[in-house]
């Protein structure tokens, strides 16, 4: 059977249990049709790049599916009718990677013990950050050197 990867985005105002319920409905539909879910990853509540149906965030889920194309079309049709699902993207793939997706691996690195940030015991640079606003106004800035040269030439 062909393999597919599907990412769906559910509304942010539903609970994680309701998102898992949507995945269980998908699994039930696939098993009745002879397919299966090979991989499932819950990416959690994430910000959307732009508003979708007045939502700024959504629950992301990645599914690795093993099913016939007709079954995938029916699955997408039923998900498009579900009001809790904002978007669905399904792609055909050669193989389903059993390793965690880059999204999950990056999340686990962010939660790791060695963050490397200033709060986690990293070396905080002395003084203010160079942000371009405020801070020190020394002789090293080009505009001030130009003013000083103009003032010296005038004298």
């Amino acid at each position: 059977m062909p393999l597919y990867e599907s990412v769906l985005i559910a509304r942010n105002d539903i609970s994680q249990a309701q998102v898992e319920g949507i995945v269980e409905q998908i699994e039930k539909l696939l098993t009745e049709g002879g397919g299966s879910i090979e991989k499932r990853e819950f990416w959690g509540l994430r910000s959307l790049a732009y508003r979708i149906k007045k939502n700024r965030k959504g629950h992301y889920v990645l599914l690795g599916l093993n099913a016939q194309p007709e079954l995938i079309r029916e699955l997408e049709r039923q998900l498009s009718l579900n009001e809790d699902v904002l978007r669905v993207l399904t792609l055909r793939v050669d193989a389903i990677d059993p390793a965690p997706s880059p999204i999950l691996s990056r999340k686990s690195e962010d939660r790791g013990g060695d963050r490397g940030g200033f709060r986690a015991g990293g070396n905080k640079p002395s003084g203010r950050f160079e942000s371009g606003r405020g801070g020190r106004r020394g002789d090293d800035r080009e505009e001030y050197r130009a003013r000083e040269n103009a003032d010296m030439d005038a004298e």
Side-chain angles (χ1 to χ4, degrees):
M1 272 192 269
L3 300 174
Y4 297 89
E5 278 191 350
S6 183
V7 176
L8 67 93
I9 305 172
R11 290 185 334 190
N12 66 333
D13 55 347
I14 66 173
S15 68
Q16 182 69 26
Q18 289 173 309
V19 175
E20 291 172 6
I22 293 171
V23 173
E24 288 172 8
Q25 289 174 354
I26 292 170
E27 186 172 26
K28 180 181 175 188
L29 175 73
L30 289 175
T31 53
E32 288 174 357
S36 63
I37 295 180
E38 304 291 327
K39 176 181 182 178
R40 66 174 78 186
E41 290 183 359
F42 295 98
W43 292 348
L45 190 64
R46 302 174 55 89
S47 295
L48 301 172
Y50 53 90
R51 280 191 199 179
I52 302 174
K53 299 179 185 175
K54 299 182 182 180
N55 290 289
R56 293 182 184 266
K57 292 187 174 199
H59 293 277
Y60 281 71
V61 179
L62 170 72
L63 300 172
L65 308 174
N66 186 1
Q68 294 297 329
E70 303 83 33
L71 198 54
I72 296 296
R73 281 194 289 276
E74 177 62 19
L75 171 74
E76 287 182 337
R77 186 187 74 79
Q78 287 191 10
L79 288 175
S80 69
L81 295 174
N82 190 337
E83 293 179 357
D84 292 335
V85 177
L86 299 175
R87 290 281 193 274
V88 178
L89 175 67
T90 304
L91 301 173
R92 187 170 178 172
V93 294
D94 295 330
I96 295 174
D97 189 12
S101 65
I103 300 289
L104 271 189
S105 60
R106 182 175 45 191
K107 245 185 185 179
S108 64
E109 287 172 6
D110 290 346
R111 294 181 185 155
D114 183 26
R115 291 188 176 161
F118 301 137
R119 294 181 191 168
N123 294 332
K124 183 175 179 180
S126 60
R128 293 179 54 122
F129 290 102
E130 295 295 326
S131 65
R133 295 185 295 157
R136 63 184 180 107
R137 301 224 185 249
D139 297 336
D140 58 340
R141 293 184 59 188
E142 185 177 341
E143 58 195 90
Y144 291 104
R145 283 188 298 213
R147 287 184 192 168
E148 286 180 6
N149 290 341
D151 290 342
M152 294 184 103
D153 291 341
E155 290 176 358

